[in-house]
Amino acid sequence: ELVANTFDLNHHKHIIEEKSFENTLPKLIWHGEDLDVTVLFFQPLFEKMSKHVKVGLCGQGADELHAGYPRYRELDKHVNVIQNRLNEIDFKIESKKTGLHTSWDSEKLVPKENFATLQKTLDFEMQRGQLTNFQLRLVDRHSMAHGLEVRVPFLGKSHWDKSKTIPFDWRLSSKAVQGEEKRALRSAARLTGLPKSITDRPKLPAGKATTPSLFRNFIEEY
């Protein structure tokens, strides 16, 4: 609402029902082809958007390109988290010399190597990690379930190429300062006239940012 008021934009507000997550859970599983509760808000959001527009814009890729997640500041801790998760399952990624997935699974999955530096971490998440194998897949499936096309301008070739030239200390501050992830991107946003309460606010997980109580209650109950 604040962004819309600042730039005099048309804004559509919709308050979801108390049991909306529970009621849309079968649709979420069917269209997503898995159960990822962090995107529970996708279904009501995309369903409402499809009634107004046929194409939407999404900010996915900004965090991976510009170091937007707090975990990037504590890579050693992140390595331990990933390694502990892998230790809990029987996983094995075999090296492939040919085939469709050669580009991303031809190397062994070794967290202490994949996340050794910020650059390696961002490269891994863009090429082999959550963005390509997880986030983009879910957005595409859940939006197309309602006949809505969602595009990702941050991942366009021109922006991707330009972002590669940004020094890493312009992406993430070496000090733990609130709101200092995505430093260059935040600086660019400040030039637009957006209030600091938007450009300088800390990173919030998507589910908790949109529907904190519903999301929390759902997790606790199930």
Side-chain angles (χ1 to χ4, degrees), residues 62-74 118 168-190 198-204:
D63 288 315
E64 287 79 8
L65 282 172
H66 298 281
Y69 292 117
R71 65 171 177 268
Y72 295 149
R73 202 183 299 279
E74 299 178 292
L118 180 58
F168 282 91
D169 60 347
W170 288 12
R171 306 189 204 195
L172 184 66
S173 171
S174 58
K175 299 179 180 179
V177 180
Q178 178 173 306
E180 273 295 276
E181 302 89 10
K182 296 184 288 192
R183 297 182 72 191
L185 195 60
R186 288 178 185 273
S187 295
R190 295 184 189 111
I198 295 295
T199 62
D200 294 8
R201 68 180 180 179
K203 170 74 176 175
L204 289 173

Side-chain angles (χ1 to χ4, degrees), residues 97-163:
K97 301 302 180 183
T98 60
L100 179 64
H101 302 295
T102 303
S103 61
W104 69 268
D105 70 0
S106 58
E107 299 178 15
K108 293 181 179 179
L109 182 59
V110 183
K112 65 180 180 181
E113 295 179 8
N114 300 132
F115 309 117
T117 64
L118 180 58
Q119 181 171 359
K120 286 187 175 182
T121 300
L122 299 185
D123 287 344
F124 179 89
E125 297 209 336
M126 289 294 292
Q127 304 292 350
R128 299 177 60 197
Q130 64 159 346
L131 188 62
T132 51
N133 301 329
F134 167 61
Q135 291 187 6
L136 292 178
R137 171 176 58 85
L138 287 175
V139 167
D140 192 50
R141 288 179 179 176
H142 290 299
S143 60
M144 291 307 296
H146 299 286
L148 176 71
E149 179 181 344
V150 174
R151 298 178 180 175
V152 282
F154 278 110
L155 297 176
K157 187 177 186 303
S158 59
H159 181 82
W160 194 335
D161 289 343
K162 287 290 185 181
S163 69

